[in-house]
Amino acid sequence: IEPKLSGDFATLMEWADGVRKLKVRTNAETPLDAETARKFGAEGIGLCRTEHMFFDPARIGAVRQMIMAETETGRRAALSRLLPFQRQDFVDLFRIMAGLPVTIRLLDPPLHEFLPHSAEEIEEVAADLGADVAAMQRRVTELSEANPMLGHRGCRLGITFPEIYEMQARAIFEAAVAIGKETHKAPVPEIMIPLVMTKRELEILRALVDKVAQEVFAETGYHIEYLVGTMIELPRAALTADAIAESADFFSFGTNDLTQTVFGLSRDDAGKFLPYYTEKGILPKDPFVSIDVDGVGALVEIAAEKGRKVKADLKLGICGEHGGDPASIHFCGKAGLDYVSCSPYRVPIARLAAAQAALAGGGDRTA
Ligand code: PEP
Ligand code: MG
């Protein structure tokens, strides 16, 4: 479908924009998605999943080396190969978004997706790292997990391998400085830390991002503004949101993982039996589609309230799939969120739903 709004539809969208209070951003990491979303009226990127950028065939070799290297030196060598790619990724996104907010989430992979699988891939990474094949097979076993979605992912990876987040932060700052020098209007990147469960994780990673920022500013002689925030996607993070808010400029609710962890339902497997639950009325609706107000929603409200008690101007958004679901958007308006973020083709629906939420009395804040 050509991403173009015209005629009566465009007029309807303008009316909706005149009413709504919630901003509408998009989840995008490719230039095509970012451009499409802008044509649909997205007012920023609310979630750039950087792990998706790592699957590019031109870089997967370096990504595997980064994960498989047994030393920091080995990881840093692979990361220095990835840095130019990442810098260009962000230059492209900043250019397309032309000053609109861009939230970049640091790496959050289920680790198994980056591990070499076939014998051929293991041999390849062994050759690249100058390691022997048996050592690489041991490394795969060491890094393999029984339940990767609850394992070594999100900021846990940034804590254990800080050089990965360091490279990404450097790529973001170097890209923002380059755009600033070129256009005299530097973007204000919003750097987002995923899967935070304790305030200490955020303190450590914020300090790391700040350190890299200072290095890049000193090297380039150019200074930019930036924000550092966190995803709230674990019940513990929601319940301790006041402590976490001390180190955060914004929260973005990751309601996909929050639903998974609140219900104890696997995101990847629930579809196998969940339709039976909804058919029989055991659950009113699929909680991965529409926010479960009593559980997940209650945690969103608790976190919003606790966070804003510490920082009245804490920016709040949602970037789980629910950000494009009209019923959930109504909930977000009532909960006082500033914006929703959804996939590009859902942006028009989100604009409409946000207007309906405002007319119904929800969403009385501005971002
Ligand atoms: C989420 O968990 O809601 C989220 C947006 O992150 P992801 O879907 O990438 O885990
Ligand atoms: Mg998540």
Side-chain angles (χ1 to χ4, degrees):
I1 305 170
E2 169 71 8
K4 197 163 148 238
L5 303 178
S6 52
D8 291 348
F9 194 16
T11 309
L12 185 63
M13 284 294 133
E14 277 167 31
W15 290 346
D17 291 346
V19 171
R20 70 186 161 89
K21 303 289 195 306
L22 280 165
K23 294 271 184 187
V24 177
R25 298 195 191 182
T26 193
N27 296 354
E29 44 279 331
T30 65
L32 179 64
D33 276 354
E35 275 161 5
T36 303
R38 278 213 66 188
K39 287 179 187 156
F40 281 140
E43 296 161 303
I45 291 180
L47 173 63
C48 163
R49 290 178 164 104
T50 56
E51 59 279 6
H52 290 186
M53 297 163 156
F54 280 49
F55 291 117
D56 186 306
R59 34 188 123 162
I60 191 70
V63 171
R64 289 217 180 96
Q65 281 178 49
M66 163 191 94
I67 294 295
M68 295 289 287
E70 292 176 289
T71 62
E72 186 185 324
T73 314
R75 280 191 295 279
R76 283 195 184 275
L79 286 162
S80 67
R81 285 177 52 202
L82 289 168
L83 175 63
F85 288 111
Q86 275 274 266
R87 191 193 302 122
Q88 191 59 44
D89 290 334
F90 301 135
V91 163
D92 293 344
L93 285 184
F94 290 145
R95 270 218 182 96
I96 292 165
M97 297 314 288
L100 293 172
V102 176
T103 308
I104 299 166
R105 182 176 75 184
L106 301 187
L107 199 63
D108 175 15
L111 209 51
H112 69 284
E113 290 182 14
F114 290 154
L115 292 177
H117 297 290
S118 64
E120 219 176 30
E121 285 170 358
I122 292 181
E123 275 167 27
E124 199 179 306
V125 78
D128 287 341
L129 286 170
D132 63 66
V133 171
M136 289 296 97
Q137 276 159 343
R138 275 199 305 278
R139 182 82 173 144
V140 171
T141 309
E142 205 175 278
L143 292 172
S144 295
E145 298 172 303
N147 194 347
M149 287 303 270
L150 293 178
H152 195 183
R153 59 174 283 224
C155 72
R156 298 160 195 173
L157 206 69
I159 294 281
T160 49
F161 302 136
E163 51 282 356
I164 299 178
Y165 276 16
E166 224 177 284
M167 179 282 281
Q168 292 195 289
R170 173 167 282 278
I172 294 167
F173 289 121
E174 288 184 354
V177 164
I179 296 281
K181 285 188 170 178
E182 181 188 299
T183 64
H184 304 292
K185 192 172 182 298
V188 181
E190 301 183 0
I191 299 178
M192 183 153 78
I193 312 292
L195 218 76
V196 162
M197 61 182 173
T198 76
K199 71 173 189 144
R200 192 71 195 119
E201 289 170 325
L202 188 59
E203 280 168 2
I204 292 169
L205 294 171
R206 185 178 185 120
L208 178 126
V209 169
D210 289 341
K211 179 189 80 127
V212 176
Q214 292 314 316
E215 284 170 9
V216 174
F217 300 161
E219 286 161 19
T220 57
Y222 199 92
H223 184 276
I224 60 153
E225 301 297 319
Y226 62 96
L227 304 179
V228 180
T230 180
M231 307 263 309
I232 299 286
E233 48 189 346
L234 296 174
R236 193 182 191 286
L239 294 169
T240 59
D242 41 0
I244 289 175
E246 282 166 19
S247 300
D249 301 317
F250 63 90
F251 285 170
S252 181
F253 291 97
T255 43
N256 303 330
D257 275 306
L258 196 55
T259 302
Q260 169 166 259
T261 48
V262 166
F263 280 84
L265 273 175
S266 159
R267 281 168 69 169
D268 303 323
D269 300 319
K272 291 186 176 154
F273 66 92
L274 214 52
Y276 185 86
Y277 267 58
T278 45
E279 251 166 55
K280 298 284 173 198
I282 299 167
L283 277 176
K285 46 194 177 182
D286 183 337
F288 288 103
V289 173
S290 234
I291 284 188
D292 148 58
V293 173
D294 298 334
V296 173
L299 283 171
V300 169
E301 286 168 340
I302 288 170
E305 197 187 318
K306 279 179 176 269
R308 286 217 172 117
K309 213 169 250 172
V310 173
K311 278 189 187 154
D313 60 348
L314 189 73
K315 207 191 279 191
L316 299 176
I318 177 176
C319 61
E321 286 305 307
H322 307 82
D325 167 63
S328 307
I329 292 170
H330 273 243
F331 170 82
C332 293
K334 275 200 256 156
L337 268 54
D338 297 302
Y339 68 87
V340 298
S341 188
C342 57
S343 58
Y345 279 87
R346 284 177 143 194
V347 167
I349 298 233
R351 287 164 69 189
L352 261 187
Q356 287 167 338
L359 291 171
D364 54 357
R365 285 181 55 91
T366 49

